[in-house]
């Protein structure tokens, strides 16, 4: 008999923002650390594979997930004064955007550029969410994790998380080994605006508050990115590719207007959206899927499609970009 708080044969299509058809053999949403440990122990006893699912905004779900899908619903958060700053201790199940708006509503600085990113706080470190010149890594102090094997808790410092562009230890060494249970974020009481990206500064007046910045970021995002509640999508479908300085120079000779961003390690980041757009694919429709008409980096699902079809579309787009620019695009969402 399965535990009372487990559901069986659960439809996960509403639980992923791409609305891919998917179901889980078992599903549970523990609200405390103890309940989470109990879930893990029980899954081991029953020899069930465990999959983790946060807000479902950055995953590609298969049609069937055998075993137990765990949705951490740890939704407590609190603040601790620390000198000039405040440390926010945030449960993995807290909605990221709700947290951002709650902190800017208190006049705190640090998360404003990351407004309107869908998903849960527990998923944020996995891909080191980033937007408008700020990454989670810039504000993260530590992460609490629970080991899936035996339920023990451990802390990782920001350095130990090995953050990179849309990368972290949770995608490499710790993949499939831990569940993130809590984040500790460092927030500032004093104004610390980061307005260097795009036209953020021009859109804001003198001395904006963190709430002003967050509201402006929301407006910019809403102008370009489809709302998953209206049109299914998982945000950027590809990572912005990093190429060598040499390859960037050759491409810039041919395409002088190409957006490019030199990185500290000597590589150059290109805009995948621009590359796809240049291939004439913005707004293109491929059966149940399409390239969004305002942001070519986002693939949208009009309904009736599935993961293999979506992956085939992504492959076709990547092949066109490779043929035209010689640049390899990598998928951003996680394949469960
Ligand atoms: N561009 C085009 N055509 C397009 C899309 C973009 O020409 O269809 C050009 C833009 O004009 C600009 C450049 O490409 O010159 C970059 O575009 P944008 O500023 O919209 O940002 P992005 O590189 O496409 C990244 C993140 C977004 C994040 C924005 C803002 C990745 C994979 N994506 O997009 O993150 O919101 O920067 O910081 O790094 C996400 O991860 O889901 C996401 C939305």
């Amino acid at each position: 008999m399965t535990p009372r708080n487990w559901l069986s044969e659960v439809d996960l299509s509403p639980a992923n923002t791409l609305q891919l058809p998917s179901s889980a053999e078992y599903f549970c949403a523990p609200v405390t650390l103890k309940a989470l440990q109990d879930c893990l122990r029980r899954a081991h006893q029953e020899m069930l594979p465990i999959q983790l699912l946060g807000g479902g905004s950055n995953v590609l779900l298969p049609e069937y997930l055998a075993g137990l899908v765990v949705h951490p619903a740890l939704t407590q958060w609190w603040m601790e004064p620390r000198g000039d700053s405040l440390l926010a201790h945030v449960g993995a199940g807290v909605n990221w955007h709700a947290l951002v708006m709650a902190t800017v509503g208190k006049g705190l600085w640090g998360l404003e550029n990351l407004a309107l990113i869908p998903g849960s706080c527990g998923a944020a470190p996995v891909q080191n969410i980033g937007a408008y010149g700020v990454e989670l890594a810039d504000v993260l102090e530590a992460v609490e994790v629970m080991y899936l094997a035996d339920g023990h808790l451990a802390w990782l410092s920001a350095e130990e998380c090995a953050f990179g562009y849309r990368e972290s230890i949770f995608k490499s060494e710790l993949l499939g080994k831990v569940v993130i249970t809590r984040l500790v974020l460092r927030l500032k009481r004093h104004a610390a605006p980061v307005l260097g990206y795009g036209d953020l500064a021009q859109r804001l007046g003198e001395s904006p508050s963190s709430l002003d910045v967050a509201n402006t970021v929301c407006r910019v995002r809403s102008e370009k990115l489809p709302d998953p509640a209206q049109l299914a999508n998982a945000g950027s479908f590809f990572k912005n590719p990093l190429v060598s300085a040499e390859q960037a120079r050759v491409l810039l000779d041919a395409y002088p207007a190409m957006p490019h961003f030199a990185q500290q390690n000597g590589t150059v980041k290109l805009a995948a959206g621009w590359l796809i757009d240049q291939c004439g694919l913005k707004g293109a429709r491929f059966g149940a899927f399409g390239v969004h008409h305002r942001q070519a980096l986002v693939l949208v699902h009009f309904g009736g499609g599935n993961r293999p079809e979506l992956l085939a579309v992504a492959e076709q787009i990547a092949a066109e970009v490779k043929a035209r620019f010689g640049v390899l695009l990598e998928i951003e969402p996680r394949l469960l």
Side-chain angles (χ1 to χ4, degrees), residues 74-267:
L74 308 155
T75 53
Q76 287 194 321
W77 70 281
W78 67 92
M79 305 263 224
E80 175 198 352
R82 178 66 62 89
D84 226 15
S85 308
L86 280 170
L87 295 184
H89 293 254
V90 189
V94 173
N95 173 271
W96 175 263
H97 176 66
L99 174 75
V100 173
M101 295 318 284
T103 61
V104 297
K106 291 179 198 293
L108 297 169
W109 289 84
L111 308 186
E112 57 283 353
N113 293 40
L114 303 176
L116 215 56
I117 295 183
S120 62
C121 289
V126 177
Q127 58 148 345
N128 183 22
I129 57 169
Y132 305 100
V134 175
E135 286 186 341
L136 182 75
D138 301 330
V139 290
L140 189 100
E141 191 78 14
V143 177
E144 182 194 60
V145 296
M146 185 182 284
Y147 277 79
L148 299 181
D150 59 5
H152 85 271
L153 290 167
W155 282 95
L156 274 83
S157 67
E159 203 167 71
E160 287 167 327
C161 292
F163 288 124
Y165 165 63
R166 298 292 194 268
E167 284 299 341
S168 74
I169 194 165
F170 308 107
K171 280 184 161 183
S172 52
E173 247 173 84
L174 292 183
L175 179 67
K177 296 203 173 109
V178 299
V179 47
I180 293 171
T181 49
R182 195 193 329 174
L183 315 185
V184 181
L185 305 169
R186 201 181 335 100
L187 305 175
K188 295 197 183 84
R189 297 178 203 268
H190 302 298
V194 179
L195 306 178
Y197 192 97
D199 62 353
L200 264 193
Q202 285 94 296
R203 284 175 178 249
L204 283 153
E206 285 285 297
S207 317
S209 65
S210 55
L211 177 62
D212 295 333
V213 178
N215 283 334
T216 303
V217 165
C218 289
R219 267 197 297 279
V220 176
R221 285 185 73 98
S222 314
E223 283 166 17
K224 282 199 206 161
L225 298 165
D227 176 357
Q230 322 248 324
L231 183 56
N233 75 89
S236 301
F237 200 85
F238 298 99
K239 288 195 217 177
N240 282 331
L242 292 165
V243 301
S244 68
E246 172 61 23
Q247 190 177 1
R249 220 176 3 256
V250 172
L251 284 169
L252 278 165
D253 282 344
Y255 307 95
M258 180 181 74
H260 58 286
F261 311 91
Q263 305 296 293
Q264 269 171 4
N265 63 3
T267 62

Side-chain angles (χ1 to χ4, degrees), residues 235-320:
S236 301
F237 200 85
F238 298 99
K239 288 195 217 177
N240 282 331
L242 292 165
V243 301
S244 68
E246 172 61 23
Q247 190 177 1
R249 220 176 3 256
V250 172
L251 284 169
L252 278 165
D253 282 344
Y255 307 95
M258 180 181 74
H260 58 286
F261 311 91
Q263 305 296 293
Q264 269 171 4
N265 63 3
T267 62
V268 179
K269 192 192 274 180
L270 306 182
W274 184 89
L275 298 170
I276 297 167
D277 197 352
Q278 290 298 304
C279 292
L281 292 170
K282 200 177 198 161
R285 176 115 189 205
F286 303 83
F289 298 95
V291 178
H292 191 244
H293 64 281
R294 282 198 303 266
Q295 164 55 291
L297 196 47
V298 176
L299 300 190
V300 295
H301 179 199
F302 298 104
N306 57 32
R307 184 167 88 172
E309 286 163 16
L310 175 57
L311 290 172
V313 170
E315 237 172 71
Q316 192 178 332
I317 293 168
E320 291 200 32

Side-chain angles (χ1 to χ4, degrees), residues 315-331:
E315 237 172 71
Q316 192 178 332
I317 293 168
E320 291 200 32
V321 167
K322 180 84 173 69
R324 169 109 182 241
F325 297 100
V327 175
L328 207 63
L329 292 186
E330 232 183 275
I331 282 179

Side-chain angles (χ1 to χ4, degrees), residues 20-33:
L20 294 176
S22 179
S23 56
E25 187 177 3
Y26 298 108
F27 178 91
C28 69
V31 295
T32 63
L33 289 174

